[in-house]
C-alpha cells in the first residue's frame, strides 16, 4: 500500500523514541567513561583518511592501510571542525535511529500497522548491534544505507518514477564506497538483471540502470586503488 501522512507521523515517533533511548545509554556510558574522545582500533584509519581527503590527498595503496572513502567523507566535516570522537558516536546514534524509521516505512508497505511497529521496535532493540552502535565505526551507516536502498526498491512497487531509481543508484553507490564488498554484490546483480532484461523480460531496465549508476560511482575509487 502507499504510505500516507499518518504513517510518516508514526515513523517519526519511532525515530524520536529510539533517539531518546539511545541518547540515554550514550550519556550513561559517557558518565562511566566508556566513550573516550580518542579513536579506537579501525576508527583511527577512517579519521586519518577523512583528514587526508580534506587536504586533497588520499592513501597510497602501496604504503597505507586502505579504507574506503564513503564513511570518511561523512565524518570529515566533524573532524575539520575539530569535534570530538563523541560527536561522531552521536552521529551514528542519529543514523541508527533513522534505520528504525526506514524499517517501519518499509514494513508498512506490505504489512499491517501493528506488525510494522513491532518489527521496527524489535530492530531498534536488537541487542547484538549495540556493540557497534556506540562507536565511531561504519556499521550503523552501512546498515542505514542497506535498509534505505531496500525501501526505495519497495517504493517502485507503486511509483516507478526516475527519482526512486536514482535514489537506489546513489544509495547503493555510497554503500559500495563505504563497504567495498558490496561492489561484488553490485556486479552480481548487474549480471543477473542484465541477463533477465535481455533474455526474459524488459521490466527491470530502470533497476538495471540504477545498478550501473551505483557501480559507476565506485569507478574512481576502484581505478585509483587497483591502478597503483
Amino acid at each position: 500500500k502507499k504510505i500516507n501522512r499518518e504513517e510518516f507521523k508514526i515513523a517519526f515517533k519511532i525515530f524520536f523514541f529510539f533517539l531518546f533511548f539511545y541518547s540515554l545509554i550514550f550519556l550513561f556510558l559517557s558518565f562511566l567513561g566508556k566513550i573516550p574522545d580518542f579513536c579506537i582500533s579501525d576508527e583511527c584509519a577512517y579519521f586519518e583518511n577523512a583528514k587526508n581527503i580534506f587536504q586533497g590527498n588520499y592513501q597510497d595503496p602501496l604504503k597505507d592501510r586502505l579504507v574506503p572513502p564513503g564513511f570518511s567523507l561523512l565524518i570529515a566535516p566533524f573532524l575539520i571542525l575539530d569535534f570530538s570522537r563523541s560527536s561522531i558516536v552521536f552521529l551514528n546514534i542519529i543514523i541508527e535511529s533513522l534505520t528504525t524509521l526506514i524499517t517501519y516505512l518499509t514494513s508498512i508497505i506490505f504489512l499491517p500497522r501493528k506488525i510494522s511497529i513491532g518489527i521496527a521496535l524489535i530492530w531498534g532493540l536488537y541487542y547484538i548491534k549495540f556493540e557497534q552502535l556506540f562507536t565511531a565505526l561504519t556499521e550503523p551507516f552501512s546498515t542505514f544505507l542497506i535498509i534505505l536502498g531496500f525501501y526505495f526498491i519497495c517504493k517502485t512497487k507503486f511509483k516507478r518514477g526516475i527519482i526512486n531509481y536514482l535514489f537506489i543508484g546513489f544509495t547503493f553507490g555510497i554503500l559500495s564506497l563505504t563497504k567495498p564488498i558490496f561492489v561484488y554484490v553490485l556486479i552480481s546483480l548487474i549480471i543477473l538483471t542484465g541477463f533477465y532484461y535481455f533474455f526474459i523480460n524488459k521490466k527491470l531496465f530502470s533497476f538495471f540502470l540504477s545498478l550501473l549508476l551505483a557501480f559507476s560511482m565506485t569507478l574512481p575509487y576502484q581505478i585509483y586503488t587497483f591502478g597503483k
Side-chain angles (χ1 to χ4, degrees):
K1 64 181 180 181
K2 292 184 178 181
I3 302 173
N4 57 39
R5 184 176 298 179
E6 184 63 28
E7 306 303 348
F8 278 105
K9 288 181 180 179
I10 294 173
F12 276 101
K13 286 179 181 179
I14 293 172
F15 163 74
F16 285 114
F17 168 78
F18 279 106
L19 181 60
F20 178 72
F21 176 65
Y22 295 150
S23 297
L24 287 179
I25 299 176
F26 172 77
L27 291 173
F28 180 69
L29 292 175
S30 298
F31 177 76
L32 294 179
K34 299 293 185 179
I35 301 183
D37 274 339
F38 52 86
C39 63
I40 300 172
S41 184
D42 291 348
E43 297 174 355
C44 299
Y46 287 99
F47 284 23
E48 186 64 29
N49 189 34
K51 294 176 182 177
N52 287 339
I53 290 174
F54 177 69
Q55 295 169 357
N57 302 318
Y58 196 64
Q59 299 156 308
D60 186 340
L62 301 178
K63 298 179 182 179
D64 304 318
R65 179 191 168 191
L66 282 178
V67 294
F71 188 65
S72 297
L73 289 169
L74 177 69
I75 65 175
F78 293 85
L79 299 175
I80 292 166
L81 296 172
D82 203 27
F83 287 178
S84 66
R85 173 183 177 269
S86 297
S87 66
I88 298 173
V89 174
F90 194 75
L91 173 65
N92 270 345
I93 288 173
I94 296 173
I95 291 171
E96 190 62 46
S97 301
L98 285 170
T99 66
T100 62
L101 181 152
I102 301 299
T103 298
Y104 174 79
L105 291 178
T106 304
S107 299
I108 201 65
I109 293 174
F110 305 101
L111 300 170
R113 179 179 294 174
K114 289 183 179 180
I115 296 177
S116 299
I117 291 174
I119 291 172
L121 291 176
I122 290 171
W123 170 246
L125 297 171
Y126 185 52
Y127 71 96
I128 292 179
K129 70 176 182 179
F130 279 40
E131 183 180 355
Q132 306 292 337
L133 174 55
F134 300 99
T135 69
L137 293 171
T138 64
E139 276 68 22
F141 186 50
S142 301
T143 303
F144 169 73
L145 292 171
I146 293 170
I147 296 175
L148 184 64
F150 187 64
Y151 166 70
F152 285 124
I153 290 173
C154 293
K155 279 191 67 178
T156 62
K157 178 179 174 66
F158 304 102
K159 190 175 181 180
R160 294 183 174 274
I162 189 173
I163 296 298
N164 278 332
Y165 289 103
L166 285 174
F167 279 138
I168 292 170
F170 282 122
T171 301
F172 285 154
I174 297 170
L175 175 62
S176 298
L177 289 172
T178 303
K179 291 288 187 181
I181 192 170
F182 283 98
V183 173
Y184 301 103
V185 177
L186 272 180
I187 293 172
S188 300
L189 288 174
I190 288 171
I191 294 171
L192 289 173
T193 54
F195 178 84
Y196 187 88
Y197 170 73
F198 287 109
F199 297 103
I200 301 176
N201 195 303
K202 304 295 184 181
K203 289 184 178 180
L204 290 181
F205 181 65
S206 296
F207 184 61
F208 177 69
L209 290 180
S210 70
L211 294 175
L212 289 179
L213 170 62
F215 182 72
S216 68
M217 289 175 61
T218 72
L219 286 178
Y221 172 68
Q222 301 294 336
I223 292 171
Y224 177 82
T225 301
F226 294 108
K228 288 287 185 177

